[in-house]
Amino acid sequence: MQNSKFWNTILFLGDLILVVACTYFSMLLRFGFDYPDFEGWLGPFRHFTGASIFSIVTVMLTLYIAEMYRTEVTISRLKQILRLLFALGLSIVLISFISYWIPHYRVWRLTSLYNIALMAVCLPLWRFWFFTLVVPGLPKKKVLILGAGRTGSFLVSEIRERHSLYTPVGFIDDDPELQGRKIEEIPVLSDSETICDIARENNASTIIVSTRHGLKENALRNLMKCKSKGMIIRDTPSVFKEISGKIPILHVDDSWFVFGPSFQLVSHPWTRLFQRAFDIVLSSVGLILASPLMLLAVALIKLDSPGPIIFQQERVGLNEKPYTLYKFRTMRPDAEKDTGPVWAKANDDRVTKVGRFLRRSRIDEIPQLWNVLIGEMSFIGPRPERAKFVEELKRKIPYYPLRFLVKPGLSGWAQVNYKYGASEDDALEKLQYELYYLQEMSIFLNILIILRTVQTVLFHRGS
């Protein structure tokens, strides 16, 4: 229970309790404690069931979109307050807009003002207490790392960089030349013969195995002794997945994929059926709702520069089959006339003025909804890539073909977690996120990606 997900959940539940309480007291302030329809202490919620639930859900969603549930990342108090005010302001706009069109969910204006005012006072106070008194004192899980080589050093640096609730107290390694040395400022305490005693002496309840090419028989036998005494044994890829949301493909081998978490949901027929229904519904609704934006894009592109409005390009899809991708044109028509296929860059000088706006707002991606609707893409999946780059990346990046087990996506776990990709190093980094999605794909993760996509569009992040 001593990990960031647990404390993120505590923060979420604290916010939820306060939002419910503020919604309740705002109705009492508006109508009075002796309102005739309020029979009993649940009266306000019984009388305004739809409006109450809608208000609470809207506020909690906007808090999430504003990234208010990341205790593992340190941000300034001022930034937290600004994000909180942004979320509350956005929520009252959404509540007002929806309640205008759906009378059943209509909320009295004065009630909404009371509600937002109460939350603007209560939520900052609760969060100030939580981040000032609770977060700094969160217990960190002490761990020993078996293996002081490249993988062990990599794990320590990642734990520190990501403000993880793990704290490495020492390395264990059977190489006598490493005994007594420090790796990433962490001492190599002993060899595997005394690993159980060292763990007990340092109050380490977990041992993380960081040897890429397996364990020797002696080390494995000593780990079994530790496990029989109640210690937790984990491997580096699993810990790294937990703290980063990606798979460290340079620190795993084939056996980890064979014996580790599977990709069974990827090929399960019910998963594919649900994903297809999900894609059809979202792409159909998206094309209808985005039609005014598409008309605007057409007009702007036509006025800005000569050339076609829709950009067509061959991409590699499911099982490495090619298909034609559609986007609004954002570059000059002759962008690759002299160079041939090259990586797109974040500040590419081939992009037109209108194209820059279309890219930053993600409007240029809207025509891909047609690719989703006809089944060539999915709403969520790996970013579609060009055939020339795919062949190069397959030769240079291990496990790259695994990304073609699913359809490419309009959005995805890599797109919402990583910057605009413009190199082989970026492709490797994004593959680690994509493989995480293939192993962990679920309805919940899809919803999470959709919410993070909204964040990406609002704050101009991702790719």
Side-chain angles (χ1 to χ4, degrees), residues 46-102:
R46 264 202 309 268
H47 192 66
F48 294 105
T49 303
S52 300
I53 293 174
F54 172 72
S55 299
I56 292 166
V57 170
T58 301
V59 171
M60 296 307 296
L61 278 175
T62 52
L63 287 175
Y64 175 81
I65 290 171
E67 293 190 324
M68 301 304 292
Y69 300 108
R70 300 186 68 186
T71 58
E72 72 278 13
V73 177
T74 303
I75 60 175
S76 68
R77 296 288 180 269
L78 177 60
K79 196 170 185 180
Q80 283 199 44
I81 293 172
L82 291 176
R83 286 186 178 181
L84 182 59
L85 293 176
F86 165 81
L88 294 178
L90 178 61
S91 65
I92 196 169
V93 170
L94 291 173
I95 291 169
S96 301
F97 178 79
I98 298 297
S99 62
Y100 176 81
W101 292 103
I102 307 177

Side-chain angles (χ1 to χ4, degrees), residues 141-146 167-172 189-208 222-223 225-227 229-233:
K141 184 181 290 185
K142 293 181 178 181
V143 298
L144 280 181
I145 298 177
L146 176 58
T167 180
V169 294
F171 284 104
I172 300 294
L189 298 174
S190 178
D191 57 25
S192 61
E193 281 295 331
T194 57
I195 189 170
C196 298
D197 295 331
I198 295 295
R200 186 169 55 252
E201 289 171 8
N202 288 273
N203 295 317
S205 60
T206 300
I207 299 171
I208 303 174
N222 290 320
L223 280 179
K225 290 179 183 177
C226 295
K227 190 166 185 177
K229 294 179 180 180
M231 294 181 190
I232 300 170
I233 312 297

